[in-house]
Amino acid sequence: MTPLTRADVAAMIDHTLLAPEATAADVDALIVEARKLGVYAICVSPSMLPVRAPGLVVATVAGFPSGKHHSLVKGAEARLAVDQGAAEVDMVIDVGAALAGDFNAVLSEVITVREAVEDRAVLKVIIESAALTDAAIVGACRAAEQGGADFVKTSTGFHPAGGASAHAVGLMAETVGGRLGVKASGGIRTAQDAAAMIEAGATRLGLSKSAAVLDGFAD
């Protein structure tokens, strides 16, 4: 495998600020840092939209972080975010539905959000992999694909069960078979963490500590 360069990894990063105490000034600082680091996108809370970030993709979240929002609320939140300039939406599934094996419920809510944003945005589906069994991870990924998602994503980074793991990323990548992207997010704080996720099959990384991670890769 060709060694990953700093630029290779930066091009995969959603530079993320989803802390509930974040201010408009914090978002401005995030954008400045994102440009300096050369990352692909920024990801901010929907209440912070709209933001001006020329040269960067703007991503946001829906049903975050619990996923226990009505699917119509998730859809409305996603549609409003896109109307306010978001090009990508990371939605949280009802994790309990996936744990219970009710993948039709997961499918239904993914379809609802997909229809709400139409083809105007990239849709990533957060399955909270650390809280799921392997079988539930597979079922949730299949439902996400069937519902029209563009990516499956490991984690919100807020669940007590933990964030991304190379095992979950590998299972997700195997399930979607290159037809969808795989975003690893949650607890990725070092270059070694990032490299492990990419080797497992991640095609996008959600990071809040992007600078520290990128410092571990050679130019």
Side-chain angles (χ1 to χ4, degrees):
M1 182 177 176
T2 305
L4 291 163
T5 67
R6 181 185 178 97
D8 292 334
V9 178
M12 301 172 67
I13 291 175
D14 292 355
H15 191 41
T16 302
L17 176 63
L18 296 169
E21 67 273 19
T23 66
D26 293 330
V27 172
D28 290 342
L30 180 84
I31 294 167
V32 170
E33 185 177 34
R35 288 207 183 97
K36 178 181 177 182
L37 294 173
V39 300
Y40 179 75
I42 58 165
C43 184
V44 298
S45 299
S47 62
M48 308 310 291
L49 298 172
V51 297
R52 286 185 50 78
L56 293 165
V57 171
V58 176
T60 192
V61 292
F64 194 90
S66 75
K68 287 296 188 183
H69 307 64
H70 194 287
S71 61
L72 293 177
V73 173
K74 294 179 187 180
E77 185 175 32
R79 182 170 56 246
L80 176 60
V82 174
D83 288 344
Q84 292 185 314
E88 300 190 354
V89 175
D90 296 20
M91 66 164 284
V92 188
I93 66 166
D94 182 333
V95 180
L99 268 176
D102 188 359
F103 300 111
N104 283 335
V106 177
L107 171 62
S108 178
E109 63 178 350
V110 175
I111 289 173
T112 297
V113 178
R114 175 83 274 174
E115 290 180 345
V117 300
E118 300 174 314
D119 61 355
R120 298 188 297 147
V122 168
L123 179 60
K124 308 190 200 88
V125 174
I126 305 172
I127 66 168
E128 211 67 272
S129 57
L132 300 181
T133 63
D134 283 4
I137 289 173
V138 171
C141 287
R142 288 175 175 166
E145 180 175 6
Q146 189 177 354
D150 299 296
F151 279 77
V152 286
K153 174 179 170 182
T154 59
S155 323
T156 61
F158 285 76
H159 198 285
S165 70
H167 171 75
V169 168
L171 186 57
M172 293 163 70
E174 181 182 357
T175 302
V176 300
R179 297 176 299 277
L180 277 65
V182 177
K183 179 175 173 180
S185 184
I188 303 169
R189 298 184 177 88
T190 67
Q192 291 75 19
D193 292 338
M197 299 304 165
I198 295 167
E199 184 175 357
T203 58
R204 192 82 69 86
L205 301 172
L207 306 178
S208 58
K209 306 296 183 184
S210 304
V213 169
L214 288 173
D215 282 347
F217 290 95
D219 294 335

